[in-house]
Amino acid sequence: MKASMHLRKKLLVSVIAATVAAVSMPATVIAQSANATLRGKASPGASITVFNSQTGLTRHVTAGPDGSYVVNGLPPATYRVDAGPGTEQNVTLTVASTGTLNLAAPTTQGAASAANATQMEGVSVAATTLEEVKTPEVGQTISLHQIATIPQASRNFLEFADTVPGMVFSVDQKGNTSLRGGAQNTSSTNVYIDGVSQKSYVKEGGVSGQNNSQGNPFPQLAIGEYKVITSNYKAEYDQVSSAAITAETKSGTNEFHGEVFGTYTNDAFRNRTPIEESTGRKVDSESKEYGFAIGGPIIKDKMHFFIAFEQKKFDTPISVVPNSVNYAGDVAALLPPSVQSELGSANLNFDEKLYFGKIDWELTDRDRIEISTQVRRETQISGIGTGTAPSAGVNNENHDTRGTFKWAHSGDSWYNELIFTFENAYINAFPLQAGNGYTYSWQPDQNNPTIITTGSADPRATQTKSQEGPSVSDTFTFNDLEWHGDHVVKLGYKFKSIELKAADAAAQSPQFFYDVNPTTGVAAQPWQVFYASALPGTSGVAETTARQYGVFAQDDWSVNDHLTLNLGVRWDYEVNPSYNNFVTSQRVLDAINSPNPYAGAAPGSTYGDALAAGGVNLADYVSDGHNRHSFKGQWQPRLGFSYDLFADEAHVIHGGAGRAYDRNLYDYLQTEVTKQALPQTTLRFNVPTHPCDTTSATCVPWNPEFLNGQNVLQNFLVGGNAGQEVDMLNNKLKAPYSDQYSLGMSNTIGEWMTDATVTRVLSKDGFAFTLGNRYPNGAFFQNGSQPWDYPIPNVGSLILGDNGIQTRTTQVLLSAQKPYTRESGWSTSLSYTFSHSKQNRDINEHYSFDEPTIHDYPFITSNAVAKHRFVGTAAVDLPWGISGSLKLTLATPLPKNAAACYGQIEPNGSNCVPKAATPSGSKFLVGGDIWGYRDIDMQLTKDFVISDDVKVYARFDILNVFNWKNYADSDYLVNWGSDGVLNPHPVAVNKKGNITYLPRTARFTVGLKF
């Protein structure tokens, strides 16, 4: 019987391994889940017990004939592991990791580091932390000690990911936070909390609600620890193509414990911003953050609860300055007095409330149930700053509600985890004031760059975007399969039905454009107006229910004590009816196939003929509702290995290769629907300072009545529809993806852990809009100009959506960590990243109008990553109950990507070409002006012990200790050259503009832990 079962196990693992190998160039193992796995060797047939004294969680397994054992689904915590007399050990498992513990003797593995593990503050058990080193993943774990001690500006738990090589966490001039992995955009990241994806399917930012927000995705008090994986993650990680973050939330224990805190600062405790230094006036600002967390037993050893609440209220100072133009003088002095009065300092108001609740129930020694909910409620003023006056600001509401039910069951040789979730997230944005908006543009530049916008915000600033729906996932793990070594095989399935909604504009706030010339000043009449029109019978809202499917297979194969192979493959499929079933308007098709009315068109030719001559194949974009495929066929093979040189986990060579797919944002896919239902019109006026082609339907005589606003413009083109924007998406759109390769070596030397890794990431199929308009002869450029005045006759400009943005990045990632132990009293982490990255388009700009197609863009130096970046942290226990820490961040300047115009004519007829240029930086201690970002933060905390379980603490943070100015407006002077000669140093910073991060700021925190 046993022999038969053993044979079946061998056969099963053989089939799975062969299937994975046949389909793939395989991948990695153990889980998008935040749970940990414990594995190792004991005496053959030994009964092994894993016990958490703080919660009562107990798991039992039996070692196999060769002594190997595996325990899956353990929440990160401290456990007592027992395989018989003399083998008992206390160990701590970290989030989303596989710890190795051999129990044949009481000695621990070389990779373990002695530490005082803490599941909840105030509860400590002397234990050994098992660090995962046999993994091809590139990344690190952020511990609770790091979260508690590293200086912090945002109280966003993702801020600590900045200490991992290859990662950049940013706080921009408006206080908005973002996380980027490598040289890809923020949308390519994903965050998993307790194994549940927080992905945004509609807006940018990667995480739901994190686009242009000062807020946090989750209360920091509820985060236990998290893992940052920059590349070569496991097969179960989905909807991600750069960095994956997997976090474990805190749980209650058998004792009541909690924390209350409050943090405060205002303008009296910060230095002036550059604009405040120039004006001599400091704008009022204030920051308040407070919250609490409490957890404890409902039924001892069986059921526990944990709840957390955090709120933050900010008045963030912002500098209102004009956008840069190629002008040596003061462009602000050319603006009307009413506009000049809005320049200077302003405030961005922000309010956020975060809630989290969780109940865990150890139903049996094999079953664990978790029920949790998270709520985010956020309002903020945004849009103000460089190029936008306070009157043109936007009010944002950002709400997110999620619920999760998780059931985990452990068998003797298998483990199953079933998760049900429901999410409801939406963003609602609208202008601060109603009426007309006014944009002042620079006339000497043929591209008419915006200097500043004032009045009411653009009608496109009114947006409602949401995602709502359930999902179910199930993963099944075989623990003790044997075939030429030990295997842990994992199979998983996920289904999600998500209702997506998007309103892209509103019929309000028309925008009038005025020329600004250094000789003649501001034109008396506008040269252009942009507005949106509400069509009768339409809502202007695009909505659809997308269905997402995903499956994966993964094998963690320990060939022997030295070699571990990680083989995996996943497949994803998505159906988006809004895209799949869209039917191109017959009105648009009739207009394209009508005679070309523009001067120079061949007799009898149509506008479609001009498009064809210009390389636009309409068959690629015209949809009949049946000729588009779903986003399927996303096979993602992944392969990883680790080789332990001496089988002691001290020196491990690791590497991997694999592919990972992301998602196309609904913000892009919905434009065909919303632009058709809520037409957006651009009219040009034939005024002396800015003449236009009067044969074009979008060129009309100026009429002062237009300034009466929306009601007049709404009725101006009834029946004609000229000047509207027509968006057409490629019928064969693909999901963006990245191919990832890495090779490195990790070492454990005493208490130190080091790693050196080289990665190569090639991202492809990023989404971009390009201009489809063509001159009558099919050209995209004539006399250096683009065919904006040659839209689809009597309809409007043609905007095409395609895949095509690419990045090519090689990084050298070096890190050294000495974890905190109570015995040593200190910790440190050092990370260095060298990046060599090229891209064919700014990854933050999906409107690409400088070239005929996205494929015509050359590869230039990426503006997404600094060439050199160093982050170092240190924390130390000081006398008298004081602890302190420092964080140093240095990075070379980011290049600027722009269309360089310097009097040359390109082969395609353009007088501009995409170029990259890097501004000069500043000194740090020694050397030249090489650093574009410099920052040192510090914090001191004093504990006042009331009793064994209660303490009060006071914390003092100084951010940007030396008040270094990290200028954000790096394009103050853009002079690419003249007469065909390129300026070797075309870019300089605006030293009166905004800065990234903060001026020197002091923050005060008091709290109570019990």
Side-chain angles (χ1 to χ4, degrees):
M1 182 74 173
K2 289 184 178 179
S4 176
M5 176 64 72
H6 191 57
L7 179 62
R8 285 199 295 270
K9 288 181 178 180
K10 285 186 174 182
L11 179 60
L12 175 61
V13 74
S14 300
V15 170
I16 293 174
T19 301
V20 171
V23 177
S24 66
M25 186 184 76
T28 35
V29 69
I30 306 285
Q32 143 184 329
S33 168
N35 289 335
T37 296
L38 181 66
R39 66 186 304 174
K41 292 291 183 68
S43 299
S47 178
I48 299 163
T49 300
V50 180
F51 175 64
N52 183 341
S53 63
Q54 297 302 318
T55 65
L57 184 152
T58 304
R59 296 289 182 266
H60 302 284
V61 296
T62 301
D66 64 346
S68 63
Y69 74 92
V70 178
V71 186
N72 288 112
L74 296 173
T78 297
Y79 296 91
R80 183 163 183 81
V81 186
D82 183 358
T87 65
E88 303 91 342
Q89 295 187 53
N90 291 326
V91 297
T92 298
L93 299 177
T94 60
V95 60
S97 67
T98 298
T100 301
L101 181 67
N102 292 334
L103 296 167
T107 58
T108 61
Q109 299 299 293
S113 60
N116 288 316
T118 304
Q119 184 183 13
M120 282 285 291
E121 289 88 340
V123 182
S124 296
V125 179
T128 298
T129 299
L130 299 181
E131 302 289 350
E132 182 179 23
V133 293
K134 289 186 176 182
T135 174
E137 294 175 335
V138 181
Q140 291 179 9
T141 298
I142 305 299
S143 68
L144 185 59
H145 181 265
Q146 289 173 289
I147 294 174
T149 59
I150 294 176
Q152 188 181 18
S154 67
R155 199 163 178 85
N156 184 331
F157 79 93
L158 297 176
E159 184 172 349
F160 305 104
D162 198 56
T163 62
V164 177
M167 300 298 298
V168 178
F169 182 89
S170 298
V171 181
D172 70 11
Q173 62 268 32
K174 299 177 182 180
N176 298 329
T177 61
S178 63
L179 183 67
R180 184 193 305 277
Q184 298 182 65
N185 59 26
T186 56
S187 298
S188 62
T189 62
N190 200 352
V191 174
Y192 310 88
I193 296 179
D194 289 340
V196 177
S197 168
Q198 311 291 302
K199 190 72 173 182
S200 174
Y201 302 114
V202 182
K203 292 293 292 181
E204 299 92 334
V207 182
S208 177
Q210 276 306 110
N211 180 52
N212 293 326
S213 171
Q214 298 183 58
N216 309 335
F218 197 80
Q220 186 168 292
L221 277 178
I223 295 294
E225 61 182 8
Y226 64 94
K227 188 174 186 178
V228 182
I229 310 171
T230 60
S231 63
N232 289 333
Y233 17 76
K234 303 158 186 174
E236 57 247 73
Y237 287 93
D238 63 340
Q239 302 179 0
V240 58
S241 58
S242 65
I245 316 293
T246 181
E248 172 76 2
T249 60
K250 293 178 182 177
S251 297
T253 66
N254 287 330
E255 298 180 6
F256 286 99
H257 290 283
E259 179 176 355
V260 180
F261 82 96
T263 299
Y264 181 79
T265 189
N266 64 23
D267 53 280
F269 302 104
R270 67 169 176 84
N271 280 64
R272 291 177 174 176
T273 63
I275 194 69
E276 289 173 335
E277 291 179 350
S278 66
T279 62
R281 184 180 70 88
K282 185 188 290 187
V283 69
D284 293 339
S285 63
E286 187 177 54
S287 169
K288 293 184 288 187
E289 298 174 278
Y290 42 87
F292 71 88
I294 186 170
I298 298 175
I299 303 174
K300 185 178 180 182
D301 287 338
K302 287 293 185 180
M303 184 180 291
H304 312 87
F305 77 93
F306 183 85
I307 57 175
F309 167 79
E310 291 188 23
Q311 183 168 8
K312 61 195 317 183
K313 293 184 176 181
F314 292 165
D315 286 324
T316 303
I318 187 70
S319 298
V320 180
V321 295
N323 283 316
S324 65
V325 294
N326 191 8
Y327 179 55
D330 183 7
V331 71
L334 303 175
L335 299 171
S338 61
V339 180
Q340 293 185 40
S341 67
E342 292 201 70
L343 301 178
S345 295
N347 250 330
L348 299 173
N349 299 321
F350 175 83
D351 188 358
E352 179 186 64
K353 299 180 181 69
L354 298 171
Y355 308 84
F356 175 71
K358 176 180 178 181
I359 293 176
D360 62 85
W361 183 13
E362 291 298 322
L363 189 61
T364 69
D365 63 356
R366 293 183 180 273
D367 296 278
R368 176 180 175 87
I369 292 176
E370 291 183 7
I371 301 173
S372 64
T373 185
Q374 62 189 78
V375 177
R376 177 181 186 176
R377 296 292 182 264
E378 177 180 299
T379 59
Q380 73 173 26
I381 304 301
S382 66
I384 302 170
T386 304
T388 308
S391 59
V394 177
N395 190 27
N396 287 274
E397 295 178 352
N398 184 6
H399 293 182
D400 197 332
T401 304
R402 296 171 184 262
T404 301
F405 172 86
K406 182 189 301 184
W407 174 31
H409 178 80
S410 300
D412 289 335
S413 59
W414 56 275
Y415 172 79
N416 185 255
E417 185 174 80
L418 178 67
I419 300 178
F420 292 99
T421 69
F422 186 86
E423 62 190 76
N424 180 9
Y426 72 87
I427 297 172
N428 185 25
F430 49 90
L432 287 175
Q433 65 179 43
N436 295 341
Y438 306 98
T439 294
Y440 297 88
S441 56
W442 187 241
Q443 184 188 23
D445 189 328
Q446 65 179 14
N447 293 318
N448 307 301
T450 294
I451 300 172
I452 196 165
T453 297
T454 185
S456 184
D458 190 295
R460 289 167 294 192
T462 301
Q463 297 195 359
T464 301
K465 306 288 173 71
S466 66
Q467 59 187 61
E468 180 179 9
S471 73
V472 58
S473 65
D474 190 59
T475 56
F476 194 92
T477 306
F478 296 93
N479 291 337
D480 64 347
L481 303 174
E482 298 175 20
W483 181 71
H484 297 287
D486 297 323
H487 298 255
V488 175
V489 175
K490 191 169 189 177
L491 308 173
Y493 169 84
K494 178 179 179 180
F495 170 74
K496 193 166 192 174
S497 176
I498 192 83
E499 184 182 45
L500 307 173
K501 292 183 180 180
D504 215 23
Q508 62 184 23
S509 309
Q511 300 293 300
F512 292 89
F513 290 71
Y514 288 82
D515 278 326
V516 178
N517 187 286
T519 302
T520 59
V522 179
Q525 299 171 341
W527 64 272
Q528 177 176 281
V529 66
F530 172 84
Y531 63 98
S533 303
L535 295 183
T538 64
S539 65
V541 178
E543 55 183 299
T544 191
T545 299
R547 299 183 301 280
Q548 302 171 358
Y549 307 84
V551 295
F552 71 89
Q554 188 169 278
D555 181 9
D556 187 14
W557 181 3
S558 297
V559 180
N560 51 47
D561 290 340
H562 297 275
L563 178 63
T564 300
L565 298 179
N566 306 103
L567 312 177
V569 64
R570 72 169 296 113
W571 176 80
D572 289 301
Y573 177 93
E574 180 175 1
V575 178
N576 189 309
S578 180
Y579 168 75
N580 295 119
N581 303 337
F582 179 79
V583 177
T584 305
S585 167
Q586 189 60 46
R587 176 178 65 87
V588 172
L589 297 178
D590 291 343
I592 291 174
N593 293 318
S594 66
N596 196 327
Y598 300 117
S605 66
T606 66
Y607 189 79
D609 293 332
L611 294 178
V616 178
N617 183 4
L618 275 178
D620 291 339
Y621 303 94
V622 175
S623 176
D624 60 10
H626 304 285
N627 59 340
R628 289 181 173 177
H629 60 77
S630 300
F631 301 108
K632 60 183 178 180
Q634 297 171 9
W635 288 103
Q636 298 159 72
R638 302 177 187 179
L639 166 67
F641 80 93
S642 59
Y643 189 84
D644 188 346
L645 292 179
F646 304 108
D648 59 359
E649 299 193 0
H651 307 283
V652 178
I653 298 172
H654 56 81
R659 174 169 292 186
Y661 276 92
D662 201 355
R663 289 289 182 272
N664 280 310
L665 294 174
Y666 191 60
D667 207 16
Y668 309 151
L669 299 180
Q670 55 84 26
T671 55
E672 288 180 309
V673 177
T674 54
K675 296 295 171 65
Q676 180 173 281
L678 191 73
Q680 297 173 19
T681 303
T682 299
L683 292 181
R684 297 277 300 275
F685 305 126
N686 191 29
V687 296
T689 59
H690 211 124
C692 56
D693 185 350
T694 56
T695 65
S696 171
T698 61
C699 181
V700 300
W702 164 246
N703 185 343
E705 284 294 314
F706 291 149
L707 287 174
N708 288 329
Q710 183 68 34
N711 291 335
V712 173
L713 293 166
Q714 171 81 31
N715 298 317
F716 179 68
L717 288 175
V718 173
N721 297 316
Q724 296 170 6
E725 179 181 316
V726 177
D727 283 34
M728 300 178 73
L729 304 182
N730 196 300
N731 294 328
K732 297 180 180 179
L733 283 182
K734 302 175 183 178
Y737 70 93
S738 66
D739 287 329
Q740 306 171 2
Y741 310 89
S742 70
L743 182 64
M745 183 173 183
S746 61
N747 298 277
T748 302
I749 305 171
E751 293 183 319
W752 284 83
M753 295 177 293
T754 68
D755 187 87
T757 299
V758 177
T759 65
R760 176 71 168 169
V761 177
L762 307 174
S763 72
K764 299 181 180 180
D765 286 341
F767 185 89
F769 287 109
T770 56
L771 179 63
N773 295 359
R774 293 296 188 267
Y775 287 102
N777 63 357
F780 187 79
F781 292 106
Q782 283 188 3
N783 300 320
S785 297
Q786 298 163 303
W788 287 104
D789 288 338
Y790 295 82
I792 301 173
N794 297 313
V795 180
S797 287
L798 176 61
I799 307 299
L800 303 176
D802 289 280
N803 298 118
I805 294 180
Q806 300 182 47
T807 66
R808 303 169 181 172
T809 305
T810 300
Q811 291 188 312
V812 178
L813 311 175
L814 306 178
S815 66
Q817 293 180 296
K818 189 273 177 187
Y820 175 82
T821 64
R822 180 163 296 181
E823 291 77 15
S824 69
W826 66 281
S827 64
T828 188
S829 69
L830 308 171
S831 73
Y832 167 76
T833 305
F834 168 81
S835 301
H836 177 76
S837 182
K838 300 283 187 179
Q839 62 190 22
N840 65 343
R841 182 60 181 165
D842 185 337
I843 56 176
N844 295 309
E845 296 183 9
H846 55 272
Y847 283 100
S848 306
F849 296 149
D850 298 325
E851 298 289 335
T853 73
I854 188 62
H855 305 289
D856 291 314
Y857 283 81
F859 278 85
I860 59 177
T861 302
S862 171
N863 63 348
V865 289
K867 187 173 183 179
H868 302 277
R869 181 176 175 84
F870 173 82
V871 180
T873 69
V876 62
D877 293 338
L878 300 170
W880 307 300
I882 299 174
S883 62
S885 64
L886 289 170
K887 179 182 179 183
L888 166 65
T889 305
L890 296 171
T892 50
L894 288 174
K896 175 182 173 58
N897 289 179
C901 308
Y902 50 97
Q904 85 288 15
I905 301 296
E906 297 300 315
N908 61 5
S910 172
N911 60 5
C912 303
V913 62
K915 290 284 187 182
T918 303
S920 61
S922 303
K923 290 184 175 64
F924 175 74
L925 298 181
V926 296
D929 296 335
I930 61 174
W931 301 107
Y933 187 94
R934 303 169 299 162
D935 174 52
I936 292 180
D937 302 332
M938 65 167 290
Q939 71 86 15
L940 291 172
T941 299
K942 165 65 177 173
D943 290 335
F944 301 90
V945 178
I946 307 301
S947 66
D948 290 342
D949 296 324
V950 180
K951 68 178 179 180
V952 175
Y953 68 90
R955 173 168 169 159
F956 175 58
D957 286 69
I958 301 182
L959 307 174
N960 195 2
V961 173
F962 294 101
N963 197 34
W964 286 318
K965 294 178 176 61
N966 301 305
Y967 297 106
D969 301 326
S970 62
D971 54 348
Y972 171 61
L973 175 63
V974 183
N975 181 7
W976 292 100
S978 60
D979 299 326
V981 179
L982 186 65
N983 184 349
H985 303 290
V987 181
V989 296
N990 182 356
K991 295 187 177 181
K992 293 183 180 180
N994 288 288
I995 57 173
T996 302
Y997 201 57
L998 304 169
R1000 179 167 48 224
T1001 302
R1003 290 159 48 98
F1004 306 90
T1005 302
V1006 294
L1008 169 68
K1009 293 183 179 181
F1010 58 92

